[in-house]
């Protein structure tokens, strides 16, 4: 295990490339964004994308499909150590399917979690940075392929002149615990807001300085953790934008039982938050959740639900829903757009095929709904 990962390789690669056109689009665009108020960053990005943007899809399940063994407390973050080439592969699969935003493999990457596996604090911090570097490297490969026109598929590359953003993922405290509490939001009376702030602080600081375009606080299961995130963003004067996405089992509340509306108010009140949304939630709840979010925010809404299956956190397996063995994802996207969502993607058990279908419907290429099969 190396003590640190140098940024020199990726920096020299960026300098060496003789095909800068797509990369320049991103660089010039992001350079113009930093001059804007933080609250307008996502709005400007969406305007550049034509009003709607595509987020990538399920990551851990795609790593498994490519042969990764992630039956580990680190979950997908284990691949940052054992098989970073697969992380690159999954990022590329989603970029080539039409994603405008790729999310790093850092959801379950925590300093505490890496140290528990025997790594030093320095090594743990380097792996967090590496998660962003890998996404950047995948984006660079994608830009170069766009320039060379080396595509073997129909959709990818048609929107390649648009910038691609890298979102640094931050999972919940419960994700680190790997005991199922990320699905319940119940951490016990001894875990206070200060406990959560102390737990997340260093990770957020590192990801802020990693070069990521934004931070995605994902699958937030309770109001307390949202408050901790909002406090950290303000107290640490984090200078890149963030989005908050919550999870829900019933379309009304987050797993802990707090109202989604009350949780969204926390996110809406934070100036650093540029989008609010829902992820890792059954598609059948998204429509009503968008309506609830729109009641309390005018910020862009991001939705990236799972396949509709339910994850058993204790037994670590997916349970099929009799009603939703196969979701009509394409027709849902149109309805979600009509209700006011602006960013669309997938979470657990969705695939590049799902993202390709979403991209097509947003581009107007797929007027008829068709069922998209999820990972079996």
């Amino acid at each position: 295990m190396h003590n640190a990962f140098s940024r020199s390789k990726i920096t020299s690669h960026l300098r060496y490339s003789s095909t800068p056109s797509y990369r320049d689009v991103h660089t010039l665009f992001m350079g113009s964004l930093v001059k804007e108020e933080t609250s307008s960053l996502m709005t400007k990005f969406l305007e550049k994308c034509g009003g709607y943007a595509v987020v990538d899809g399920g990551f851990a399940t795609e790593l498994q499909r490519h042969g990764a063994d992630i039956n580990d407390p680190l979950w997908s973050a284990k691949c940052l150590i054992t098989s970073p080439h697969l992380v690159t592969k999954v990022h590329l699969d989603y970029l080539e399917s039409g994603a405008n935003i790729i999310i790093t493999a850092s959801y379950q990457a925590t300093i505490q979690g890496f140290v528990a596996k025997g790594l030093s604090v320095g090594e743990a911090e380097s792996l967090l940075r590496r998660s962003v570097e890998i996404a950047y490297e995948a984006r660079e490969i994608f830009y170069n392929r766009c320039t060379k026109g080396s595509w073997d598929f129909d959709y990818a590359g048609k929107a390649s002149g648009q910038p691609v953003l890298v979102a640094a993922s931050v999972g919940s405290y419960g994700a680190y615990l790997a005991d199922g509490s990320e699905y319940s939001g119940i951490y016990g009376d001894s875990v206070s807001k200060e406990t959560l702030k102390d737990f997340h602080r260093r990770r957020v600081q590192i990801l802020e300085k990693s070069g990521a375009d934004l931070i995605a606080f994902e699958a937030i299961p309770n109001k307390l953790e949202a408050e901790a995130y909002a406090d950290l963003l303000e107290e640490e004067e984090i200078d890149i934008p963030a989005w908050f996405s919550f999870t829900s089992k019933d379309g009304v509340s987050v797993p802990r039982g707090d109202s989604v509306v009350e949780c969204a108010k926390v996110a809406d009140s934070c100036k650093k938050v540029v989008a609010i949304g829902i992820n890792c939630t059954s598609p059948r709840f998204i429509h009503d959740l968008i309506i609830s979010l729109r009641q309390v925010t005018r910020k862009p809404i991001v939705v990236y639900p799972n396949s509709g299956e339910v994850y058993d956190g204790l037994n670590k397996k997916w349970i099929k829903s009799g009603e939703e063995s196969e979701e009509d994802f394409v027709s849902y996207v149109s309805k979600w757009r009509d209700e006011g969502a602006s960013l669309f993607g997938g979470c657990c058990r969705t695939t590049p095929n799902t993202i390709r279908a979403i991209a097509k419907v947003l581009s107007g290429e797929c007027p008829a709904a068709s069922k998209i099969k999820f990972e079996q």
Side-chain angles (χ1 to χ4, degrees):
M1 180 73 195
H2 295 295
N3 209 32
F5 293 91
S6 171
R7 296 186 65 89
S8 61
K9 290 184 180 180
I10 184 171
T11 301
S12 62
H13 179 62
L14 290 171
R15 290 173 179 166
Y16 178 79
S17 174
S18 60
T19 55
S21 58
Y22 292 101
R23 180 167 58 256
D24 283 353
V25 169
H26 173 84
T27 301
L28 291 171
F29 175 63
M30 290 307 297
S32 68
L33 285 189
V34 297
K35 299 176 183 178
E36 302 287 339
E37 291 295 324
T38 301
S39 60
S40 69
L41 292 179
M42 186 58 72
T43 300
K44 295 292 184 182
F45 173 70
L46 288 169
E47 289 176 358
K48 181 66 178 178
C49 291
Y52 306 99
V54 181
V55 183
D56 63 11
F59 210 90
T61 45
E62 280 300 289
L63 288 170
Q64 288 177 310
R65 189 169 68 85
H66 288 300
D69 177 8
I70 58 174
N71 184 20
D72 189 275
L74 292 176
W75 200 42
S76 57
K78 177 184 175 184
C79 289
L80 294 172
I81 303 170
T82 62
S83 45
H85 65 288
L86 292 183
V87 178
T88 302
K89 168 64 175 169
V90 174
H91 283 318
L92 278 170
D93 286 347
Y94 282 120
L95 287 170
E96 294 173 355
S97 296
N100 301 114
I101 301 175
I102 53 173
I103 302 175
T104 64
S106 54
Y107 175 81
Q108 211 143 314
T110 65
I111 296 170
Q112 299 88 336
F114 286 132
V115 168
K117 300 292 286 187
L119 305 184
S120 70
V121 171
E123 289 170 337
E125 292 182 353
S126 292
L127 284 168
L128 281 169
R129 297 184 188 99
R130 186 64 185 141
S131 70
V132 176
E133 290 177 353
I134 291 172
Y136 266 71
E137 289 165 359
R139 185 172 70 185
E140 178 70 6
I141 294 169
F142 174 72
Y143 284 160
N144 286 337
R145 289 183 182 176
C146 286
T147 303
K148 296 174 182 177
S150 55
W151 301 111
D152 296 323
F153 34 82
D154 294 332
Y155 176 78
K158 292 184 179 179
S160 56
Q162 300 172 355
V164 172
L165 300 187
V166 171
S169 175
V170 172
S172 68
Y173 177 67
Y176 153 71
L177 294 176
D179 62 356
S181 59
E182 73 178 297
Y183 303 101
S184 69
I186 301 172
Y187 299 154
D189 295 338
S190 63
V191 177
S192 66
K193 183 165 68 172
E194 291 303 315
T195 304
L196 295 174
K197 286 162 62 176
D198 289 343
F199 174 80
H200 289 294
R201 180 174 284 107
R202 183 59 183 152
R203 173 163 60 155
V204 171
Q205 290 172 337
I206 290 169
L207 292 175
E208 176 203 13
K209 302 299 183 183
S210 67
D213 298 309
L214 69 152
I215 300 176
F217 295 93
E218 302 189 276
I220 306 172
N222 56 51
K223 183 181 177 182
L224 184 68
E225 199 148 22
E227 292 172 339
Y229 291 148
D231 285 358
L232 274 180
L233 290 175
E234 298 292 345
E235 293 170 6
E236 300 299 324
E237 298 182 345
I238 301 301
D239 63 3
I240 64 173
W243 80 41
F244 283 14
S245 60
F246 300 90
T247 184
S248 177
K249 297 178 180 179
D250 59 7
V252 177
S253 58
V254 295
R256 182 66 178 86
D258 309 305
S259 163
V260 166
V261 169
E262 292 303 311
C263 290
K265 287 179 180 178
V266 173
D268 187 64
S269 67
C270 181
K271 294 179 181 179
K272 306 288 186 178
V273 175
V274 297
I276 303 171
I278 302 292
N279 78 294
C280 210
T281 296
S282 173
R284 64 193 172 109
F285 296 130
I286 298 297
H287 179 271
D288 289 345
L289 286 165
I290 293 171
I291 294 173
S292 296
L293 292 178
R294 197 42 89 205
Q295 291 174 5
V296 297
T297 188
R298 303 315 302 168
K299 295 179 179 180
I301 291 176
V302 53
V303 291
Y304 49 120
N306 58 32
S307 64
E309 296 161 277
V310 178
Y311 188 67
D312 181 342
L314 291 177
N315 295 310
K316 300 186 184 303
K317 64 179 182 179
W318 288 93
I319 301 172
K320 288 187 176 294
S321 167
E323 300 176 0
E324 302 176 58
S325 59
E326 201 174 271
E327 287 293 343
D328 191 345
F329 220 103
V330 175
S331 66
Y332 279 150
V333 169
S334 297
K335 294 174 183 177
W336 300 337
R337 180 178 55 191
D338 292 344
E339 289 301 336
S342 301
L343 300 103
F344 309 84
C347 199
C348 299
R349 307 278 280 184
T350 62
T351 72
N353 285 339
T354 315
I355 300 311
R356 185 175 291 108
I358 292 173
K360 285 183 176 180
V361 92
L362 292 176
S363 69
E365 292 185 23
C366 189
S370 61
K371 287 188 177 290
I372 305 300
K373 290 185 180 294
F374 295 93
E375 191 69 23
Q376 297 301 314

